Every structure is written in structure tokens, then in C-alpha cells.
Amino acid sequence: MLTGAVVTEVVGTLALRVSDGFTRWLPTAVTLVGYGVSLWLFSLLLDRGGVALGTAYATLTGVGLAAATLASVLLFRDPLTAVQLLGMGVLAAGVLVLQTGGPAERT
């Protein structure tokens, strides 16, 4: 579900780029559906438990940010600097730490 939430959020974000301020109906529809499905899948993930909200949200936003950045470089020829690549590496490390940190003990 988390993978689906990330993919649909990235698709929505890429469509947002070409929606021309919501003036083009097809990219606008793809944006709204993409974000809607992403939130729906994310809510199902949280409802079924097993993943802490912070960990799930960090993964959604971190992986989504990296995927959208790389896709925008490939699709729209957006620039990508060494500093931005370093930032994505730090982001990936943070998501990895959150994913592998184990559950916190409740007191």
C-alpha cells in the first residue's frame, strides 16, 4: 500500500507540473486522482496498523520526493546539482534509519 501511495503521489505531482495552473483538464484530473488515491492508500496503511505514522509518512514523503526529483530530471530536463544529490542521499539515509529502527517501547 505504501508503494502504491508513493507511485500515485508522484504521478499526481508530475501531472501537476503540466497542468498549467489547473487550466488543462487531463493533467488536472490526473493530479487530483493521483493525490486522492495516494491519500486513500496511505489511510488504509495506517488503519491496518503495523507501521508507525512517522515512519510511514517519512517514507512516503522521502521516497516520493526522490522519485519526483529524478522523474523531473528525466522528463522535464530539470537540473540536478551535486548538492541536491547529496541531500537526496541524506534523505534516503534518514528513511532507512526510520525503517530499520525497530518499534519504540510504550511506557
Side-chain angles (χ1 to χ4, degrees), residues 63-102:
V63 174
L65 175 70
T69 299
L70 294 175
S72 71
V73 168
L74 295 172
L75 296 173
F76 306 123
R77 305 283 186 236
D78 284 348
L80 183 62
T81 67
V83 172
Q84 290 169 321
L85 279 172
L86 177 64
M88 288 192 336
V90 170
L91 183 70
V95 169
L96 182 64
V97 167
L98 282 171
Q99 287 287 339
T100 59

Side-chain angles (χ1 to χ4, degrees), residues 47-58:
D47 183 54
R48 296 194 175 146
V51 180
L53 173 62
T55 301
Y57 189 67

